[in-house]
Amino acid sequence: MSRHGVESGLDPARLRAAFGAFPSGVVAVAARVDDQVVGLAASSFTSVSLDPPLVSFSIATTSRTWPALRRADHVGVTVLADHHDRVARQLAGRADTRFDGLDLTFGPGGAVTLADGIAWFDTTIDRHVEAGDHTIVLLRLHAVAHAEHSHPLVFHRSGFGLHRPALLSVDTEATKTTSPTR
């Protein structure tokens, strides 16, 4: 066993729980391909580079959406807002109903974004890298926009929102005098 208590033969459930300790935002990744809107929800989105402007997300190699999405000329990425938990679940559901009832915006190159997100990116696929059971997709940015004064949807410990353990009762006077950082 290592000094952090992780065995060399990593248990997938323990690994997933450890990964889930890190909160992440949630994005919708979508495009118009062959006159159909295709896309998905991803919690692995991150900024990569300012020059050239790149972002990335990861997708399972077993995804049935990726083969169609990778053929898109442009791909839209929408950062979901804190009220989008239902939308995120819908985008993770059946492919044929993922975009039903959603207010979508269509870019000239085929990028599809959700109208009420908090940030929007028009991208093209720069390259993708096979990485274990996922593919890391690098996207080159062509246009960006964001809303002011909005909060993102957060995925944490396999659920939406931040999950905090119950706090123990604390003597507030003692805390004030012994803990200058609070």
Side-chain angles (χ1 to χ4, degrees):
M1 210 182 281
S2 79
R3 66 185 183 140
H4 297 290
V6 177
E7 298 176 19
S8 59
L10 296 175
D11 172 49
R14 286 185 67 191
L15 189 57
R16 183 180 299 271
F19 287 167
F22 182 72
S24 62
V26 183
V27 296
V29 181
R32 185 188 296 267
V33 179
D34 299 330
D35 291 323
Q36 299 287 322
V37 177
V38 295
L40 49 95
S43 62
S44 57
F45 176 79
T46 191
S47 59
V48 175
S49 172
L50 292 173
D51 186 18
L54 298 169
V55 295
S56 73
F57 74 98
S58 298
I59 187 166
T61 56
T62 56
S63 169
R64 290 183 254 155
T65 303
W66 175 236
L69 193 57
R70 70 191 274 181
R71 294 186 296 117
D73 291 332
H74 281 248
V75 177
V77 177
T78 306
V79 177
L80 300 182
D82 58 0
H83 64 274
H84 279 139
D85 53 324
R86 182 194 60 78
V87 171
R89 285 187 189 88
Q90 181 175 330
L91 292 172
R94 290 182 26 182
D96 61 336
T97 60
R98 285 184 183 158
F99 296 93
D100 288 359
L102 300 182
D103 187 7
L104 304 176
T105 301
F106 297 88
V112 177
T113 54
L114 278 68
D116 66 339
I118 64 170
W120 305 268
F121 304 91
D122 183 331
T123 74
T124 53
I125 296 171
D126 189 73
R127 63 185 163 271
H128 48 91
V129 179
E130 300 300 317
D133 60 2
H134 278 68
T135 298
I136 301 168
V137 182
L138 286 170
L139 302 170
R140 184 173 295 262
L141 299 170
H142 299 284
V144 302
H146 71 281
E148 297 289 333
H149 312 295
S150 297
H151 299 284
L153 180 63
V154 175
F155 188 71
H156 181 229
R157 300 198 189 280
S158 300
F160 297 110
L162 292 176
H163 303 282
R164 294 181 178 99
L167 295 175
L168 296 175
S169 172
V170 177
D171 179 356
T172 55
E173 280 306 308
T175 303
K176 288 178 188 174
T177 59
T178 61
S179 180
T181 60
R182 288 195 185 199

